[in-house]
Each structure stands twice: as structure tokens, then as C-alpha cells.
Amino acid sequence: MMDLLSNLGGGFAEALSPINLLFAFLGVLIGTMVGVIPGIGPTTAIALLIPVSFTLDPVTGLILLAGIYYGAMYGGSITSILIRTPGEIGNVVTTLDGYEMTKRGRAGPALATAAIGSFVAGTLSTLMLMLLAPMLASVAVAFGSNAYFLLLMLAMMMLSNLTGGSRLKSAISMVFGMSVAVIGLDPASSVPRMTLGSLQLTDGINFAIFAMALFAVPEALRNLTGPLTQSQANVGKVRVSMSRKDWRRSAGPWTRGSFLGFFIGLLPGMGTLGSFFSYPLERRLSKRKNEFGKGAIEGVAGPEAANNAGVGGGLVPLFTLGIPGSPTLALLFFVFTMYGLQPGPQLMQQESTLIWAIIASMYIGNVLLLILNLPLVGAFVQLLKIPDVKLYGGVLAFVALGAYALDFNIFGMGSMFVFGVIGYGMQKYGFPLAPAVIGLVLEPMTERALRRSLQISGGDPMTFLDGPLVTTLSILFVLVLLLPLLLKIIRRWRGSRPSTLDQVRESAERQIDGSAAAEHMDADQPGDNDTSTRDLEYEQKKE
């Protein structure tokens, strides 16, 4: 423990030097701006700034790039909440409730819980990175390709119906996204798939184009083609701070999302998917399930915390095993090697000063990120005072520019608007959009894991029952697949047979009805107790 504190103290001494502190601030600032701009993302920003980082000291350069990485994770939540345009894959889930909160005049609390959740998750994940890196790296290795395949299939089953509604429409939406992911060259044989003979489609459909098309374009078209309203003009007048109720409802999701996102981030290729697992977890645990998809603050707090915690989790296999789990981490791996450093088991022993300086800078960067963004929540909310025509017209121009900047060709911009019109039609006829984006993200990883599993096993499907971990995942997958059907059959069976309680209730109601009818008949018969008869006899005697 003393060695741990000594190493951390040395890391803080290095990270708090004026030059490193300056570049940590620049990193989170650039990261936030990059996250806000759809289509750019931390991968592109880091790729552009790699030449700059090579002019710096290795510690300073890596602190700058790491700051861009986790700064962009928060920046993407801003446009997701305000204009339903996810900046990153992990921000897709934030649009479900974040944008609904904005429409209800609660953009301020939504941005605040995202900022604070990012700080909490970043701090906790950095702490876990520091304490648990060697042990958790060995756990991540236990997930073979067969376990990855089952885990991804399980994720798709659980995530296919995030917002409720028709399961059939959700499944169709996810299959649509998976079909779009297949477009391009086959990863094994390099044979074109679904390209229609177009050379531009051989590289596939970029995630940023598809996400902007399905979220930003339909929303902009809906607002531009619908009746003009003044509801957005009052959004900026609401309180931008969080109430006590918001704090109570966000605290649990922040904590759960931080741990969940960190452990998901340990698995290569899964670092950006923590938010997809956090949302259904929070929905299941919540006492307000009917609010999800309609503006539940838990639907923003948990996924945003998980999204940011994935950064710390993803660095564990990079530092200890030399395995980059995402394109952004692959670029950081490249930067390490260009500095003459080899990520792997010996890195923390041979370059302990460098690693602990990066870990310390992450603590500092998360504080800087909170200081930078929390006061700006009010300024972000003021964007909603812009009239709908100007705001959403600007959104269309903004995403068109982002789509063009990805490859600097008109084809990308045109394909974005084609998918945008498809998304507009899906939204109009009740097909949820989130499952389509999830299908696009998960299909390539699922396909690779399936092929690798079958190649290793020689085509034997029993590989998906090989070992306790894989068998457990297989059983969970079957349960998740069949449970809704079994529950439906049980409800129908119960509905066709009246319960004993129902029979007793019906018998009692018949007895009550019979007694009431008898009393009514007695009341209609004249008798000694009949009031009208007594009155008549009294009048006769009186006369």
C-alpha cells in the first residue's frame, strides 16, 4: 500500500507541473469541443494531433491525448441532450431520455447530471485502474471468442427493446441496422457485400454518418415540417441546477454506471458499450419504469457515467497486456510505440513514472472537466432559445458539414440524407431508431467473434457449451430469448381460467344481487310496516 501511495504521489508531482497542467486543460477542452461536433470524435482528433504530441515530452504528449479521449466522452452528451445528435457511440443511449428532458424544459438538470456523472465515473474508474489493473487484466483474458459472441448476442437481445413499444418493430429496426453494417467488403474473404457495384460502398457505412442520419436528420425534418411552436423559447428560463430529488435519483445510477462501465471497458471492443448495458439495468431497477423514454433522469445519469468509466476500464488491457480495445486506444498504442514504449506486462515496472503521471493526470483532468463544463450548462441551455427554423436548419447544415469532413466527398453527405429520410419514415410509423444504431455497432464484433469461435473449434457448435463461463452465457441467452414467450403463454393460460378468488368474488356478487332484489320485491308489497299504509290508516282514524 505504501508503494502504491508513493507511486501515486510521484505521479501527481509530475502531472501538476505547469506545462503538464496546461496540456491537461487543453486536452479536456479540445475533447469537449470534439465531442460536441458530430462526425469528428476522439479518434479523428487524436489522429490529427499525433504529430503535435511527438514534439512534446512523452508524459506531456500522452496527457494531452488522454485528456482529449475522456473529454470527448462528455462532450458528445451535450448535443445528444440538446438536439438529439449523439457525438459518439456511447452517447446514443443518452438521446433516449436526455432529449425528452430537454423537450420538457429540463435540459439544465440533464446536462448537470451528465457533467457530474462524468466526474464521478472518471474518478472512480481511475481509482479502480490504479488498484485493480493487474488482477482484472487476467479476468479479461478469460473471455474467449465464444464467450464474446454469446455476450454480444445477449446484449443485442436485451437492448433490442430499450424504449418499450412493439418488440417486432424493435427487432425489425435492429435487423435493419445489422444489414447496413454488412455493407462493404467481407472481413475474411474481401468479397464485396451489398455494395450494388459501387466503389464508394466498399468501405461500408461510417457509424457517424448513420447515427447522425437516424437521430439528427429525422428530428430536424420533424421540427421544420411541423407546425411552428414557441415551446422551445421558454426552455432557457428553467433552473439549470439539480434539485434534491434529482440528486437522490442520480446518485445510484452514477455509482452503478461507474462500476458497470469500468468492467465492460475491460473487454476489448466493448469499452464504448457500457452505456448500452447501463440503460436496461437502470430501467429494471427503477420504481418509475414508465418514465423511461419520456425523460427519466436515471436514463441520463447511468449511461453517461458508464460511458466515461469505460475510458479507465479500456486502459487496463492496454497498459497491462498491450491490447487496445477500441480504435482510439489503438491510436494511443501507436503513440506509445512511437515514443519507444511497449505496452504490456512490463510497462508498469519499466515506465512506472510515466504510467502514474498519466493516472494522476486523469484525476486532475476530471476535476478540470467538471470546472470547465458545469458553469457552461446555462450557456448550453441558451442555445434552445434559438427559433426552431434557425436551430434545426443549422443542425442540418452542421451534420452535412460533419458528414463531408469524414471523407471529404459528396457521397458521404448524400448517403447521410438518404438514411435520414429512411429514419424519418421509421420514426413516423413507430419504428424505434436506437436499435438500428445498436445493430450497426454490434454486428461487426458479433460476426468476428462467431467466425473466430468456429475457426478455433473446427466448425463444432459445441464450442458454445465449452466451459462454465460459456455455458452460463448460453443458458442466459436462451432464457432471455424464451422468457417473454413463456410469460405470454402463462398470462393467456391464467386469463382463460378464472382463479378461485374470482369465483368467490362472483358468487358473493350473485348473493348480494339476489338479496338486493328480494328486498326490492318486499318493499313493493304492502304490509304492516309499509309507510304509506300506516299514514292512510292514521288519516282515516283521525277523521
Side-chain angles (χ1 to χ4, degrees):
M1 187 65 180
M2 293 302 296
D3 291 339
L4 183 68
L5 295 177
S6 175
N7 289 330
L8 185 61
F12 271 107
E14 185 75 22
L16 287 172
S17 65
I19 186 67
N20 288 337
L21 199 58
L22 172 63
F23 277 93
F25 176 78
L26 287 175
V28 296
L29 177 62
I30 295 171
T32 301
M33 296 170 61
V34 161
V36 169
I37 302 173
I40 305 300
T43 304
T44 304
I46 288 176
L48 292 174
L49 290 175
I50 282 177
V52 176
S53 67
F54 288 154
T55 65
L56 304 172
D57 180 77
V59 175
T60 306
L62 288 168
I63 285 176
L64 170 68
L65 299 181
I68 293 173
Y69 185 22
Y70 53 80
M73 292 299 173
Y74 168 72
S77 68
I78 297 172
T79 50
S80 296
I81 291 170
L82 294 182
I83 56 176
R84 205 188 183 197
T85 305
E88 287 300 311
I89 294 175
N91 302 124
V92 169
V93 181
T94 308
T95 63
L96 299 177
D97 284 285
Y99 185 68
E100 291 297 321
M101 289 182 69
T102 296
K103 292 200 297 185
R104 285 161 174 73
R106 287 176 48 78
L111 289 169
T113 193
I116 298 171
S118 298
F119 169 75
V120 172
T123 303
L124 287 177
S125 67
T126 305
L127 179 64
M128 288 187 283
L129 167 66
M130 179 181 69
L131 297 175
L132 306 176
M135 180 184 68
L136 294 177
S138 61
V139 174
V141 176
F143 276 80
S145 54
N146 51 0
Y148 270 117
F149 171 74
L150 292 170
L151 185 65
L152 289 167
M153 290 296 294
L154 184 63
M156 282 195 285
M157 289 295 300
M158 296 175 64
L159 298 172
S160 62
N161 197 27
L162 284 177
T163 56
S166 170
R167 289 183 178 273
L168 178 60
K169 289 184 176 180
S170 296
I172 292 173
S173 179
M174 178 164 282
V175 170
F176 168 64
M178 295 174 70
S179 301
V180 173
V182 171
I183 296 173
L185 296 178
D186 184 283
S189 62
S190 298
V191 174
R193 301 187 300 189
M194 299 175 62
T195 60
L196 303 176
S198 172
L199 290 176
Q200 287 88 346
L201 288 176
T202 54
D203 292 331
I205 302 299
N206 189 285
F207 163 79
I209 289 178
F210 192 73
M212 288 188 293
L214 257 66
F215 284 101
V217 175
E219 194 62 29
L221 291 177
R222 186 181 68 83
N223 283 274
L224 291 174
T225 58
L228 296 177
T229 62
Q230 298 299 323
S231 59
Q232 294 286 0
N234 295 322
V235 176
K237 297 179 181 179
V238 301
R239 182 177 59 183
V240 297
S241 60
M242 295 172 60
S243 64
R244 289 185 179 180
K245 183 179 179 181
D246 291 334
W247 279 92
R248 287 196 302 269
R249 293 180 61 174
S250 298
W254 287 338
T255 306
R256 289 188 293 268
S258 299
F259 284 96
L260 180 64
F262 179 81
F263 288 106
I264 293 295
L266 290 173
L267 307 174
M270 302 282 284
T272 56
L273 303 181
S275 59
F276 293 128
F277 288 87
S278 174
Y279 189 88
L281 174 65
E282 294 304 326
R283 185 181 180 185
R284 183 173 295 275
L285 296 178
S286 176
K287 297 178 180 178
R288 307 175 180 87
K289 293 181 175 60
N290 60 322
E291 292 186 21
F292 278 74
K294 301 176 183 177
I297 196 169
E298 296 92 337
V300 178
E304 277 303 308
N307 185 33
N308 284 270
V311 175
L315 290 176
V316 173
L318 178 66
F319 286 167
T320 59
L321 298 175
I323 300 175
S326 69
T328 307
L329 291 175
L331 282 176
L332 289 178
F333 180 89
F334 170 74
V335 173
F336 269 98
T337 57
M338 290 301 294
Y339 280 128
L341 306 171
Q342 183 59 47
Q346 302 301 318
L347 181 66
M348 297 193 75
Q349 284 76 28
Q350 296 176 353
E351 300 291 341
S352 61
T353 303
L354 171 70
I355 297 301
W356 286 103
I358 294 174
I359 292 174
S361 75
M362 293 177 67
Y363 283 109
I364 298 168
N366 280 293
V367 175
L368 293 174
L369 194 62
L370 186 67
I371 294 173
L372 175 68
N373 288 294
L374 200 56
L376 293 178
V377 166
F380 293 142
V381 173
Q382 298 307 310
L383 294 173
L384 299 176
K385 286 188 173 181
I386 303 172
D388 284 354
V389 174
K390 294 182 179 179
L391 176 62
Y392 288 100
V395 168
L396 286 178
F398 197 55
V399 296
L401 179 62
Y404 179 77
L406 287 172
D407 296 310
F408 294 101
N409 63 53
I410 301 296
F411 182 81
M413 188 188 303
S415 61
M416 184 198 67
F417 282 110
V418 169
F419 284 118
V421 172
I422 295 173
Y424 178 73
M426 292 173 63
Q427 189 178 60
K428 185 175 182 179
Y429 290 101
F431 288 87
L433 302 177
V437 179
I438 293 170
L440 179 75
V441 173
L442 297 184
E443 193 281 334
M445 290 187 289
T446 306
E447 183 182 356
R448 284 195 299 268
L450 175 62
R451 289 190 176 197
R452 195 177 301 116
S453 301
L454 295 176
Q455 286 172 353
I456 293 173
S457 66
D460 185 5
M462 293 304 293
T463 185
F464 300 113
L465 292 174
D466 184 15
L469 175 62
V470 178
T471 303
T472 301
L473 290 173
S474 296
I475 294 172
L476 285 175
F477 173 73
V478 173
L479 287 176
V480 172
L481 181 65
L482 297 180
L483 193 59
L485 180 61
L486 292 176
L487 291 175
K488 197 172 186 179
I489 293 173
I490 292 172
R491 289 194 194 101
R492 286 183 177 178
W493 181 74
R494 286 182 175 178
S496 63
R497 293 186 57 190
S499 64
T500 303
L501 181 62
D502 292 335
Q503 293 174 351
V504 171
R505 186 183 297 112
E506 290 177 2
S507 177
E509 289 175 352
R510 285 196 299 268
Q511 292 178 1
I512 292 172
D513 292 342
S515 300
E519 290 177 1
H520 182 70
M521 291 177 65
D522 291 342
D524 290 340
Q525 299 293 329
D528 294 339
N529 294 329
D530 186 84
T531 304
S532 60
T533 305
R534 289 198 307 270
D535 291 343
L536 180 61
E537 291 176 351
Y538 176 77
E539 291 295 334
Q540 289 175 349
K541 289 179 180 180
K542 187 175 180 181
E543 290 177 356

